Amino acid sequence: MKKIIVNDETCIGCGACIAIDSEHFDFDSDGRSCVISNENLNSDDLSNAIESCPVAAISIEESECDCDSDCQCEADESCNNECQCSCDGCHCCE
Ligand code: SF4
């Protein structure tokens, strides 16, 4: 499945993607962009957000991660990555 990936090490937290596309992005607790939805990946707002990122931190990639269906983090706030999510851009365990 395809997923939006935000590179945590590259993102500078400028907020441009969030201002342009609040359907897909929000700030995380560290002030960087966090992916909040992987629906509607063909939207113009998403394309504009990707193009507007000043550090090219956003990409859409094929991912093996299936945490959307299997991750238990939402039910357990003390999650210690027990879901064994291997997706680099996943914020589900934060
Ligand atoms: S536009 Fe890029 S640098 Fe700015 S918050 Fe979004 S991902 Fe981070």
Side-chain angles (χ1 to χ4, degrees):
M1 70 185 291
K2 288 189 174 181
K3 287 199 163 194
I4 305 167
I5 305 295
V6 174
N7 186 326
D8 283 347
E9 296 182 6
T10 307
C11 175
I12 58 174
C14 72
C17 60
I18 297 159
I20 293 168
D21 185 6
S22 59
E23 176 186 357
H24 294 106
F25 303 100
D26 200 353
F27 285 112
D28 66 14
S29 58
D30 294 324
R32 289 189 286 264
S33 179
C34 174
V35 178
I36 58 174
S37 170
N38 281 292
E39 302 294 324
N40 195 20
L41 296 182
N42 294 319
S43 80
D44 289 341
D45 284 348
L46 177 57
S47 296
N48 290 335
I50 293 171
E51 292 175 11
S52 298
C53 178
V55 293
I58 308 169
S59 58
I60 298 176
E61 300 176 10
E62 286 289 340
S63 173
E64 299 286 326
C65 177
D66 61 354
C67 60
D68 280 348
S69 57
D70 294 334
C71 181
Q72 301 297 311
C73 298
E74 290 182 4
D76 181 6
E77 293 182 2
S78 62
C79 173
N80 293 315
N81 201 26
E82 291 179 357
C83 65
Q84 298 181 341
C85 172
S86 59
C87 175
D88 286 341
C90 181
H91 294 267
C92 69
C93 298
E94 295 181 357

